[in-house]
Amino acid sequence: MVCVVADDITGAAEMAGIAHRLGLSVSLSLDWIITDDCDVAVIATDTRSMTESEAIAALRKGLSKVKDDRRIRAFFKKTDSALRGNVVAELSVMINMLDLNGALYLPANPSKGRIIKDGCYLIDGMPIDKTPFSFDPEFPAFSARLTERFPNADTCAISFQDVCTSTDLDDGVESAMSKRLLLAGAADLFTSFLKKYFNPRTEKISIPYEVGKGSCIVVCGSTQSDPTRCGIKPSYMPTEVYDGIVLSDAWAATLAQRYAEPPHRVLIAVKDHHRTGREVAVHLRQTMALVVKNLVGMRSPDHLIIEGGATAFAILSALGWDSFEIQNEIAPGVISMKLRDGNTKVSMKPGSYPWGGMFAYLAEID
């Protein structure tokens, strides 16, 4: 078994989707209890949304539960493909607790135009600090050079290398496995690793997906989102709620009224971006979680669709939903799951990824 430790839930779902596509058995949970005998066990930790000290404590506590599980033959650390998170701190914990020689950190996704060239991280040829990621509320990209972004990496036995093609990733996997290094990175690296580790013979084709006519709650919790593409009229968080001047009660009541009317669909999004910082990010996702819990309490939707990892984790935790069966990889990073103890479908994606065909067949457009 391969155990994947992901620092946010949409990243965890993306890893589960890749394993599912490659024909491997996979489980996904929001806790550190691995109940299924499977090829790949994915654990979503939400440590990206924590402070560094909180992330270290949570990771140590969780790893202590699984590090001696004899079913696990290898670990993989899923990190953000836009360099966000408590990367060095978390990799250091895993290196030490798993008694490894170091970590090879390759966050590049060449298939999506995200590469490491001459030690710098580029997105579609643009240095990451010149993209909208420079305005991220918690982990703004202040430099594209990895040694500047992560100055303590070398002293913690964490190495990088240039990655411009999938062949570069394959070489990295070979090197890490031969040197007992923890592999850390994003989707393309994980795909390369699974193909090397399991040598799967076939690859599943994504099934065309249709949102359908059922009730639906869509939550756009990312600063990178474009809710107008979803086919449902957005209900934006009022600026006074965004600023924390007033509680969300009046907005929640408006959302409830809209959701109560056929076809029982609502899209929740954030329009304002004039505040930054962890405190703001926590306020936004907690507010989203509160209003969604209220809506689900009224009517459990046929489909819950969430954009943004920290937002998804906050919502699912508030709902008490923590175990899922993977149903389909709609598009790279866009995953459809089914709640194990319920009928609701849950689909998620990272904020910076496109929706793929998620809303192409929406039966009714507001």
Side-chain angles (χ1 to χ4, degrees):
M1 178 190 295
V2 169
C3 181
V4 182
V5 180
D7 64 359
D8 83 324
I9 192 170
T10 53
E14 182 180 19
M15 300 297 98
I18 292 169
H20 177 76
R21 183 208 314 158
L22 294 176
L24 303 172
S25 58
V26 57
S27 69
L28 171 64
S29 68
L30 274 65
D31 56 33
W32 288 84
I33 300 174
I34 302 175
T35 56
D36 296 340
D37 285 324
C38 54
D39 297 317
V40 179
V42 186
I43 299 170
T45 67
D46 196 41
T47 48
R48 190 189 306 173
S49 66
M50 301 177 187
T51 65
E52 183 175 293
S53 59
E54 289 171 344
I56 290 172
L59 194 55
R60 283 177 175 164
K61 181 179 179 180
L63 275 176
S64 66
K65 298 179 181 179
V66 301
K67 69 182 183 69
D68 296 321
D69 189 326
R70 296 191 177 186
R71 296 173 298 174
I72 300 174
R73 306 308 296 269
F75 283 84
F76 183 95
K77 182 67 171 76
K78 167 64 173 73
T79 64
D80 180 46
S81 65
L83 311 184
R84 295 171 295 188
N86 301 293
V87 176
V88 172
E90 293 195 39
L91 292 183
S92 296
V93 169
M94 293 190 69
I95 291 168
N96 293 329
M97 291 191 67
L98 301 176
D99 193 27
L100 297 172
N101 294 329
L104 180 59
Y105 174 47
L106 303 178
N109 268 342
S111 67
K112 299 178 180 65
R114 301 184 177 194
I115 66 171
I116 303 170
K117 185 177 181 181
D118 298 327
C120 292
Y121 196 88
L122 309 179
I123 298 179
D124 295 327
M126 183 75 68
I128 191 172
D129 59 321
K130 306 301 181 184
T131 72
F133 288 107
S134 64
F135 303 108
D136 186 83
E138 292 185 88
F139 300 100
F142 60 84
S143 175
R145 186 164 297 281
L146 294 182
T147 53
E148 293 178 359
R149 183 69 182 271
F150 307 106
N152 299 324
D154 184 58
T155 58
C156 297
I158 300 168
S159 57
F160 321 110
Q161 69 180 45
D162 280 3
V163 174
C164 296
T165 67
S166 60
T167 301
D168 295 332
L169 290 174
D170 292 340
D171 293 342
V173 170
E174 292 270 6
S175 175
M177 292 177 72
S178 65
K179 298 177 181 177
R180 291 190 71 250
L181 302 178
L182 174 67
L183 272 170
D188 286 5
L189 179 66
F190 186 58
T191 303
S192 179
F193 169 67
L194 288 185
K195 288 182 176 180
K196 174 66 177 178
Y197 194 88
F198 289 102
N199 191 27
R201 300 294 183 182
T202 59
E203 188 166 329
K204 293 182 180 180
I205 299 174
S206 294
I207 302 170
Y209 194 80
E210 184 174 340
V211 171
K213 295 184 178 181
S215 57
C216 182
I217 299 174
V218 183
V219 183
C220 294
S222 169
T223 58
Q224 310 293 323
S225 66
D226 183 3
T228 61
R229 294 182 179 273
C230 299
I232 304 173
K233 183 179 178 181
S235 297
Y236 289 108
M237 181 183 293
T239 299
E240 316 86 74
V241 177
Y242 173 90
D243 285 333
I245 297 173
V246 300
L247 298 177
S248 61
D249 297 11
W251 181 46
T254 300
L255 291 171
Q257 182 178 8
R258 180 176 177 82
Y259 185 53
E261 298 172 355
H264 309 294
R265 289 182 178 154
V266 65
L267 188 156
I268 307 168
V270 178
K271 179 169 56 178
D272 296 300
H273 299 104
H274 56 269
R275 301 173 67 211
T276 60
R278 183 175 184 273
E279 182 179 340
V280 175
V282 170
H283 165 66
L284 294 180
R285 57 180 171 258
Q286 288 180 344
T287 301
M288 290 289 202
L290 184 64
V291 297
V292 171
K293 184 178 181 181
N294 180 62
L295 294 175
V296 172
M298 290 174 48
R299 171 192 288 268
S300 187
D302 295 308
H303 203 159
L304 173 61
I305 303 170
I306 313 174
E307 177 186 57
T311 301
F313 196 95
I315 290 171
L316 296 178
S317 296
L319 294 172
W321 297 356
D322 59 9
S323 185
F324 304 90
E325 299 173 3
I326 306 301
Q327 291 192 316
N328 188 27
E329 184 186 41
I330 301 164
V334 187
I335 309 302
S336 175
M337 313 179 296
K338 182 180 179 297
L339 183 64
R340 284 190 186 273
D341 299 323
N343 296 317
T344 299
K345 291 182 180 179
V346 178
S347 296
M348 297 184 295
K349 79 170 187 71
S352 60
Y353 282 29
W355 283 107
M358 170 71 77
F359 297 99
Y361 303 101
L362 192 62
E364 297 179 45
I365 299 178
D366 289 0

